[in-house]
């Protein structure tokens, strides 16, 4: 390894160990179009329209920073492949998959606000799902302990029976179900995208062998395709009561606020649940609240929990992140944290956001009291 790279911490990876990145160029074929922000609409009086936020350039930069940035010596590269229809049915309904196949056959369709299936989209979605499953198998088959699925289109808003929020297939949800089918008794999902991982939550809302935890901006529902709001009182149903944990954070939470929420809420919940696999769902759209250092700290916390409970096994799945350059930097920092490197490998080109961590800490403390009172397995956290 190049001597200029920061050495790993004592309980981090050795020089021979690497983080496995799963990727396929075919995912760049998805083009959600242009318009006013994500609407696809041209009002007729603007000379320049936005690329859809979920565009290929954001992932090209993530790809290039991992290949050519200072973290490169710590990574190994693996090719993904398309998912099969039978694999999709482990999470999604047959009727919904048929809807997507028919939409693809017609050439283009708006599935919900901001979510467009265009020529090339379905193939990219199948690759995103299959590439995530390949990353999961890498861990489940014992080939490595840390794998990252660099995928698009994203997936965590896709529910079993509908598209939502730029998402067609729930990549993380499919991987969780694969882990369960492969013999994992308990899987925990920690989602730090700035938006509620509602699709993943919906898929496991009534089961107690998957703990879904979502830290997100307190944004509420954005329409019929997003029926759950991500509020703290959505805690699961039936056998799953208490196993869906939402942590809606106020705007301006910042690095300190997120770290406090991780340590006061996420860590105790994972410690009680004791999963055999951690699925870390990352979206750098939360860079509206976090700097690179915040992402790095979260990555380190996730690694520490994996070392305690899942023999160091973490599956990382890419979701949002729409700042073309800064998202790539924040991804780099997140993976540095997961690798438990001693010192940052990159300087932060922005590195400042106004924070109101004291208010966030009060909100977190209230949520912790509510969890103790309403969720049986967390009564003594």
């Amino acid at each position: 390894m190049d001597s200029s790279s920061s050495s790993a911490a004592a309980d981090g990876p050795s020089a021979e160990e690497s983080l496995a990145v799963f990727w396929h160029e075919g995912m760049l074929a998805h083009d959600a179009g242009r318009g006013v922000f994500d609407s696809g609409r041209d009002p007729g009086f603007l000379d320049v329209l936005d690329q859809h936020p979920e565009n290929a350039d954001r992932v090209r930069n993530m790809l290039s920073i991992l290949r050519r940035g200072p973290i490169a010596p710590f990574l190994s590269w693996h090719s993904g492949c398309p998912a099969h229809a039978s694999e999709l049915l482990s999470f999604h309904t047959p009727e919904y998959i048929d809807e997507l196949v028919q939409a693809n056959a017609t050439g283009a369709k708006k599935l919900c606000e901001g979510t467009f299936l265009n020529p090339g989209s379905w193939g990219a979605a199948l690759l995103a799902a299959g590439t995530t499953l390949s990353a999961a198998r890498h861990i489940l088959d014992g080939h490595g302990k840390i794998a990252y699925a660099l995928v698009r289109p994203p997936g965590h808003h896709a529910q079993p029976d509908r598209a939502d929020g730029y998402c067609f297939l729930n990549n993380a949800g499919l991987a969780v179900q694969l882990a369960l089918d492969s013999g994992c008794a308990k899987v925990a999902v920690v989602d730090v995208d700035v938006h509620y991982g509602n699709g993943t939550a919906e898929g496991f809302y009534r089961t107690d062998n998957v703990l879904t935890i979502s830290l997100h901006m307190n944004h509420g529902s954005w329409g019929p395709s997003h029926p759950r709001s991500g509020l703290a009182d959505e805690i699961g149903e039936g056998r799953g009561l208490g196993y869906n944990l939402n942590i809606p954070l106020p705007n301006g939470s910042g690095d300190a606020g997120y770290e406090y929420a991780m340590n006061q809420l996420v860590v105790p919940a994972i410690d009680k649940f004791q999963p055999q696999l951690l699925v870390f769902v990352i979206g750098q759209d939360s860079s509206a609240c976090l700097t690179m250092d915040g992402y790095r700290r979260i990555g380190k916390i996730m690694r520490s929990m994996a070392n305690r409970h899942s023999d160091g096994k973490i599956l990382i799945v890419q979701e949002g992140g729409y700042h073309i350059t800064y998202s790539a930097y924040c991804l780099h920092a997140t993976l540095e944290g997961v690798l438990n490197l001693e010192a940052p490998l990159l300087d932060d080109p922005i590195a400042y956001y106004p924070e109101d961590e004291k208010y966030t800490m009060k909100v977190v403390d209230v949520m912790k009291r509510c969890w103790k009172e309403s969720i049986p397995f967390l009564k003594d956290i």
Side-chain angles (χ1 to χ4, degrees):
M1 182 177 295
D2 184 82
S3 61
S4 64
S5 297
S6 177
S7 61
D11 61 342
S14 66
E16 293 78 23
E17 188 180 8
S18 63
L19 186 156
V21 181
F22 283 77
W23 162 254
H24 195 288
E25 295 283 340
M27 288 181 283
L28 297 175
H30 171 49
D31 183 356
R34 292 177 178 270
V36 177
F37 190 62
D38 68 351
S39 68
R41 291 189 291 269
D42 180 353
F45 45 72
L46 296 176
D47 286 339
V48 179
L49 296 174
D50 295 307
Q51 274 198 91
H52 191 284
E54 208 298 277
N55 60 73
D57 286 347
R58 56 179 280 271
V59 173
R60 286 190 177 98
N61 269 350
M62 293 177 183
L63 183 68
S64 60
I65 202 169
L66 298 186
R67 282 181 168 164
R68 304 201 300 271
I71 202 171
F74 293 88
L75 309 180
S76 64
W77 290 85
H78 306 262
S79 180
C81 60
H84 299 294
S86 59
E87 294 172 319
L88 303 181
L89 296 176
S90 69
F91 185 90
H92 294 288
T93 66
E95 294 79 12
Y96 174 57
I97 298 303
D98 287 344
E99 177 189 350
L100 293 177
V101 170
Q102 292 301 315
N104 179 60
T106 63
K109 184 176 181 180
K110 177 180 176 179
L111 298 175
C112 62
E113 192 63 33
T115 307
F116 303 92
L117 190 79
N118 290 326
S121 300
W122 180 232
L126 290 172
L127 279 169
T131 298
T132 305
L133 291 171
S134 294
R137 289 191 189 95
H138 181 82
I139 297 172
L140 296 169
D141 293 344
H143 299 304
K145 293 186 177 182
I146 310 174
Y148 167 50
L150 175 52
V151 294
R152 70 176 293 264
H156 72 149
H157 297 310
Q159 297 147 59
D161 60 354
R162 69 173 80 189
D164 182 34
Y166 314 162
C167 302
F168 308 111
L169 300 172
N170 196 304
N171 307 314
L174 289 163
V176 169
Q177 190 60 53
L178 175 65
L180 296 174
D181 293 342
S182 300
C184 284
K186 293 181 178 181
V187 180
V189 181
V190 179
D191 187 330
V192 298
D193 187 281
V194 80
H195 301 105
Y196 175 34
N198 61 303
T200 315
E202 187 66 34
F204 302 105
Y205 206 67
R206 297 158 190 84
T207 184
D208 58 0
N209 57 357
V210 179
L211 176 65
T212 53
I213 305 177
S214 179
L215 295 87
H216 50 266
M217 176 181 65
N218 188 6
H219 55 68
S221 175
W222 52 61
S225 67
H226 192 92
R228 295 197 189 276
S229 64
L231 293 177
D233 60 359
E234 294 173 353
I235 59 173
E237 295 174 353
R239 282 195 308 124
L241 188 67
Y243 293 91
N244 184 74
L245 303 177
N246 293 333
I247 306 173
L249 296 173
N251 289 336
S253 292
D255 294 347
Y258 266 78
E259 185 174 22
Y260 189 75
M262 289 290 296
N263 285 326
Q264 294 297 313
L265 297 175
V266 179
V267 171
I270 296 293
D271 286 346
K272 290 293 183 182
F273 187 67
Q274 297 186 346
Q276 293 177 311
L277 177 67
L278 276 178
V279 179
F280 184 23
V281 179
I282 58 173
Q284 292 77 30
D285 47 4
S286 44
S287 63
C289 306
L290 290 164
T291 69
M292 288 176 67
D293 188 52
Y295 280 104
R296 194 177 290 109
R297 291 186 220 172
I298 290 172
K300 283 180 175 289
I301 292 170
M302 292 295 300
R303 176 62 181 269
S304 177
M305 290 190 294
N307 286 347
R308 287 202 303 278
H309 299 296
S310 60
D311 191 30
K313 292 178 288 191
I314 307 176
L315 171 65
I316 308 164
V317 183
Q318 183 62 47
E319 295 292 347
Y322 307 115
H323 191 296
I324 295 294
T325 55
Y326 197 51
S327 289
Y329 275 78
C330 291
L331 167 64
H332 196 286
T334 305
L335 299 186
E336 288 176 42
V338 172
L339 285 167
N340 211 17
L341 303 183
E342 288 180 347
L345 302 180
L346 281 176
D347 292 332
D348 196 323
I350 298 178
Y352 173 76
Y353 284 113
E355 297 187 13
D356 188 2
E357 69 270 18
K358 290 183 179 178
Y359 176 57
T360 298
M361 289 173 181
K362 291 179 182 178
V363 170
V364 167
D365 289 343
V366 169
M367 279 193 276
K368 189 169 186 176
R369 288 197 297 272
C370 290
W371 285 10
K372 288 182 176 183
E373 294 170 1
S374 61
I375 298 175
F377 87 98
L378 298 179
K379 63 183 179 181
D380 57 352
I381 60 171

